[in-house]
Amino acid sequence: MTVVFTNGCFDILHRGHMELLRYCKSLGTVTVGINSDASVERLKGPFRPYFNQDDRKFILEAIRHIDEVIIFNSKDELQELVKTIKPAIMMVGSDYKGKEVVGSDYAKEVRFFDRVRDYSTSKIIESITDRRVLC
């Protein structure tokens, strides 16, 4: 059994997330680490997350491509999580190429997943905000 690990905020799900998760599942058993509410706020600012960590976890657990969802609060907790899981593959976004990938020392292999077209949570939020301004 190949264990695949990926992580992120997963605040507003979109097709890019689903493509990533589907690809991970094609490789093995999928564990997803999600940032806690406090962690998302530190990373994304005071107006995020839109959905609390329990709701995000619940939604992710309902996706057939995911076998387990674990909440983490800090880089140290993420590091310990990956150390405990010891994934065969750690899947991260290609925007992390050349950057620190927390926990990568404990994965047998790190793979980079290219962004699917132009999907991004930030762009979705921007689009919604722009539409509200026009109303």
Side-chain angles (χ1 to χ4, degrees), residues 1-53:
M1 170 175 60
T2 301
V3 176
V4 181
F5 178 82
T6 192
N7 67 279
C9 298
F10 296 97
D11 191 10
I12 296 175
L13 295 177
H14 52 73
R15 183 173 180 162
H17 290 126
M18 295 302 122
E19 296 281 358
L20 164 70
L21 297 168
R22 182 171 66 175
Y23 179 65
C24 287
K25 187 63 178 176
S26 75
L27 301 173
T29 301
V30 178
T31 298
V32 176
I34 63 168
N35 296 74
S36 69
D37 292 343
S39 175
V40 174
E41 184 176 348
R42 285 192 302 271
L43 291 169
K44 305 291 185 177
F47 300 109
R48 298 275 305 274
Y50 283 99
F51 296 100
N52 69 55
Q53 64 193 31

Side-chain angles (χ1 to χ4, degrees), residues 2-132:
T2 301
V3 176
V4 181
F5 178 82
T6 192
N7 67 279
C9 298
F10 296 97
D11 191 10
I12 296 175
L13 295 177
H14 52 73
R15 183 173 180 162
H17 290 126
M18 295 302 122
E19 296 281 358
L20 164 70
L21 297 168
R22 182 171 66 175
Y23 179 65
C24 287
K25 187 63 178 176
S26 75
L27 301 173
T29 301
V30 178
T31 298
V32 176
I34 63 168
N35 296 74
S36 69
D37 292 343
S39 175
V40 174
E41 184 176 348
R42 285 192 302 271
L43 291 169
K44 305 291 185 177
F47 300 109
R48 298 275 305 274
Y50 283 99
F51 296 100
N52 69 55
Q53 64 193 31
D54 294 328
D55 289 346
R56 290 183 285 126
K57 184 175 192 257
F58 178 84
I59 291 166
L60 288 169
E61 287 174 335
I63 297 171
R64 66 181 173 161
H65 306 303
I66 298 173
D67 298 290
E68 181 178 30
V69 179
I70 302 169
I71 299 169
F72 65 90
N73 190 49
S74 66
K75 284 184 175 184
D76 289 341
E77 283 186 20
L78 175 57
Q79 180 96 349
E80 284 302 311
L81 178 58
V82 179
K83 183 178 179 180
T84 300
I85 293 169
K86 296 179 183 69
I89 301 168
M90 186 171 186
M91 190 71 63
V92 296
S94 58
D95 51 328
Y96 277 88
K97 283 183 181 176
K99 297 179 184 175
E100 175 195 16
V101 176
V102 175
S104 61
D105 294 342
Y106 301 103
K108 290 180 185 164
E109 177 186 357
V110 175
R111 291 192 190 176
F112 296 96
F113 188 82
D114 289 330
R115 182 178 295 276
V116 176
R117 291 190 290 221
D118 210 19
Y119 291 103
S120 91
T121 300
S122 297
K123 289 188 181 201
I124 291 170
I125 293 168
E126 205 174 281
S127 172
I128 293 168
T129 304
D130 289 349
R131 289 179 191 172
R132 292 176 88 188

